Amino acid sequence: MGLQERIEAAISDHIGKPARLSSTRASSGGCINNSRVVTLDDGSRFFVKTNSQSAALPGLFETEYLALQRLRAPGVIDVPEPVACDADFIIMYAFNPGSKAADWHEQTGCGLARLHQATCQDQFGFDQLNYIGTTAQPNDWHDNWVDFYREQRLGWQLQVFAAKTTADDQLLLLGERLLQQLDNIIGQVQEPAVLLHGDLWSGNAAANASGAPIIFDPASYYGQREAELGMMRLFGGFGPRCEAAYNEVWPLEPEADRRIALYRLYHELNHLNLFGSGYYSSCIDTLRGVL
C-alpha cells in the first residue's frame, strides 16, 4: 500500500467512513518535515507531515502525536487535534489561520500558565525519547530537576558537540564548569514538573480563525516551567506582554532571568549542533553570562 493509500486508510479509520483525497497543497509545518494540507471529497481538511528521514528517527511522529494529545487535554490553549500517526506520517485536523487578536500575547501567556498549572506532576521526563529538530532528546524519568537537566539536556547537547570538536574546546570547558554549578544556579527553585511545549518559538505559534493563540510542532516533556521561556526568548516573538500575563496567573520565582538564560542555552547548543558554527559565539556568551 502506497503512502497516500495509507493516509486515506488512517483518516477513514478515524472518521468512520471512506476517505478519498481530492486535492493537496504544500504547507509550512516544522523545518524538518514535508507538510501539506489535504482535502477530502466532502471538503474536510487535514494537515499531514511526512519526513524522508523517518526511518532514522524512530518514534518521531508517535511522540508528537502523544504530545499534541496531552497539550490539548486541559483545554486551556488551542492545539491542533491529532488524528492518526505511524512511523512515516502524522495527521491532524487542519486549522484556519487568522490575524492575531489585539490581546494575542496576553492570551498566550495566560494559556501557557494555565497549561503548566493543569499538568503538574512529580517526575521530570517523558514517556520516551523524542526529538528537538532532528536531535534526539533523551527523556529518562528523574525525581530531581537538576539531575534531569544536567544529564538529559545540557550534558547531552555537550556530548553531541564533543564528537565534533577537540577536548580542549573552550565551549566544552565552560560547559563542564556549568554542569558542576547547576545546583547553585537552579537547585534552589523547588517546583513541580509541568508539561512543556518544549520548542516554543514564534514559528510554532500562530492565531486561529478567531485570533486566539494556537501552538504546534511540540518537543514536549515534563520539566520546570521556566525552561519554556528559554526557547520563547531565543528568537523573540512573545515579549514582555506575554510574560507579564503569565506572571499574573503564576508568578515566576525571584531571579528567574539567570535561570531562563541557562534554559535558553540548551536550544542554542542544539542549534549549534544542527546548523553549525554560526551559533558558537552565542553559546559562549550565554555560558559566560550564567557562570
Side-chain angles (χ1 to χ4, degrees), residues 129-199:
L129 175 149
N130 58 11
Y131 299 88
I132 183 80
T134 54
T135 306
Q137 183 167 257
N139 290 309
D140 294 346
W141 292 108
H142 282 64
D143 295 324
N144 180 281
W145 170 243
V146 177
D147 291 343
F148 176 85
Y149 200 69
R150 179 186 289 116
E151 297 168 16
Q152 307 284 291
R153 292 295 177 264
L154 286 186
W156 172 252
Q157 289 287 350
L158 290 169
Q159 285 180 47
V160 173
F161 180 68
K164 307 173 183 179
T165 188
T166 58
D168 61 349
D169 191 295
Q170 180 185 20
L171 190 151
L172 293 181
L173 298 177
L174 289 170
E176 185 57 37
R177 281 179 54 199
L178 179 58
L179 293 180
Q180 294 171 6
Q181 294 186 32
L182 286 186
D183 281 289
N184 295 328
I185 299 172
I186 63 176
Q188 308 308 309
V189 177
Q190 299 299 314
E191 289 193 342
V194 303
L195 181 63
L196 305 176
H197 175 284
D199 192 17

Side-chain angles (χ1 to χ4, degrees), residues 60 63-72 79 112 115-116 119 124-133 137-141 148 153 194-200 204 215-223 228 266-267:
L60 175 67
T63 51
E64 180 177 357
Y65 184 96
L66 177 60
L68 291 170
Q69 283 186 315
R70 295 202 180 161
L71 291 167
R72 280 179 57 83
V79 179
L112 287 172
L115 170 68
H116 295 163
T119 56
F124 303 93
F126 202 59
D127 299 64
Q128 63 192 84
L129 175 149
N130 58 11
Y131 299 88
I132 183 80
Q137 183 167 257
N139 290 309
D140 294 346
W141 292 108
F148 176 85
R153 292 295 177 264
V194 303
L195 181 63
L196 305 176
H197 175 284
D199 192 17
L200 192 55
N204 288 346
I215 58 175
F216 40 84
D217 290 337
S220 290
Y221 64 99
Y222 293 89
E228 194 87 277
Y266 170 67
H267 298 283

